């Protein structure tokens, strides 16, 4: 309800209904119903106030949006004008830049042709000893690496051959370590190889 008269009518209807149902205002159910009615009125008032605020805010935002749209339309027109002007200037600058690049490239090629041969040969002569030293050093290290790899291969091959040659004795020794018997009378340790597979 938005008016005080509607609130009063609603309250009177609630009191009449409670009275007709035989519920007194001082009973727990009556107190609960009245507190619920008061809470409902408070929520309704708060909701109405909030709706009014939202309506006012919406109208304010709509007015601001309308103003903003008008400004954006003006700014878009200005941007279009600037873009057209910028495109014309950009094309002029591209033509000028191409001409400058061609002239610079021609000058660069002429200067390159005059002094390039002497500089290249001089640099090659300067760098040859350094590169030769580097080449020999790398070849030496590659040789060392090959020697180390070959030595490692030989060691691995020797270990494999000795392991293969003594495999039978090693397997018997492992069997005996796992199946050793102790003779308590003589105090000797022995292994029965007839059970070994």
């Amino acid at each position: 309800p938005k008016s005080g008269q509607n609130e009063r009518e609603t309250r009177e209807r609630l009191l009449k209904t409670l009275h007709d149902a035989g519920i007194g205002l001082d009973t727990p159910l009556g107190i609960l119903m009245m507190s619920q009615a008061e809470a409902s009125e408070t929520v309704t008032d708060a909701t109405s106030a909030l709706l009014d605020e939202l309506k006012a805010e919406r109208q304010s935002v709509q007015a601001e949006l309308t103003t903003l749209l008008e400004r954006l339309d003006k700014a878009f027109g200005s941007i279009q004008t600037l873009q057209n002007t910028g495109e014309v200037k950009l094309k002029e600058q591209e033509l000028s830049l191409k001409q400058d690049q061609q002239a610079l490239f021609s000058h660069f090629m002429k200067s390159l042709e005059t002094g390039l041969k002497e500089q290249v040969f001089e640099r090659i002569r300067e760098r040859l000893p350094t590169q030769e030293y580097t080449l020999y050093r790398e070849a030496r290290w590659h040789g060392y690496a090959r020697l180390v790899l070959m030595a490692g291969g030989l060691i691995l091959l020797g270990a494999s051959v000795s392991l293969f040659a003594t495999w039978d004795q090693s397997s018997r020794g492992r069997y005996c370590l796992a199946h050793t018997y102790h003779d308590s009378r003589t105090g000797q340790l022995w292994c029965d190889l007839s059970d070994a597979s």
Side-chain angles (χ1 to χ4, degrees):
K2 293 186 178 179
S3 65
Q5 184 178 359
N6 287 341
E7 290 177 7
R8 267 183 267 128
E9 288 176 2
T10 305
R11 185 176 177 84
E12 287 174 6
R13 258 187 279 134
L14 176 63
L15 290 172
K16 185 175 183 296
T17 305
L18 289 174
H19 181 25
D20 291 345
I23 299 170
L25 292 179
D26 54 349
T27 63
L29 186 57
I31 293 171
L32 177 66
M33 295 296 285
M34 291 306 293
S35 64
Q36 287 294 324
E38 290 172 3
S40 175
E41 288 175 12
T42 305
V43 169
T44 303
D45 292 343
T47 305
S48 298
L50 183 60
L51 286 174
D52 292 340
E53 288 178 13
L54 286 175
K55 185 176 179 182
E57 189 67 29
R58 187 187 67 187
Q59 290 173 350
S60 171
V61 168
Q62 282 180 343
E64 289 178 5
L65 282 176
T66 305
T67 307
L68 182 61
L69 286 174
E70 291 173 359
R71 288 181 184 173
L72 285 175
D73 287 339
K74 289 179 184 176
F76 184 71
S78 301
I79 289 171
Q80 284 291 112
T81 306
L82 284 173
Q83 184 179 3
N84 294 335
T85 307
E87 286 176 356
V88 171
K89 287 184 179 180
L90 187 61
K91 286 179 182 176
E92 292 175 357
Q93 287 180 355
E94 283 178 355
L95 287 173
S96 173
L97 185 61
K98 282 182 182 177
Q99 292 172 353
D100 291 345
Q101 283 178 346
Q102 288 176 352
L104 184 62
F105 185 71
S106 300
H107 179 68
F108 176 71
M109 289 304 291
K110 285 179 184 175
S111 65
L112 192 64
E113 287 173 2
T114 55
L116 185 63
K117 288 181 185 177
E118 294 155 7
Q119 290 178 2
V120 167
F121 285 125
E122 190 175 327
R123 290 282 173 94
I124 288 174
R125 271 188 247 116
E126 289 174 359
R127 288 196 154 221
L128 268 177
T130 307
Q131 290 181 352
E132 198 172 325
Y133 173 73
T134 306
L135 178 68
Y136 288 141
R137 187 177 61 193
E138 287 180 1
R140 187 170 51 240
W141 280 110
H142 285 304
Y144 291 156
R146 279 196 292 267
L147 284 173
V148 168
L149 285 174
M150 287 171 60
L154 285 173
I155 290 170
L156 186 62
L157 183 64
S160 300
V161 167
S162 66
L163 182 65
F164 181 72
T166 61
W167 182 259
D168 193 33
Q169 291 89 354
S170 300
S171 61
R172 271 182 274 171
R174 282 193 303 274
Y175 177 81
C176 282
L177 282 174
H179 299 87
T180 302
Y181 299 102
H182 181 263
D183 190 354
S184 59
R185 286 180 292 146
T186 61
Q188 291 184 344
L189 297 173
W190 60 277
C191 173
D192 187 8
L193 293 176
S194 59
D195 292 339
S197 57

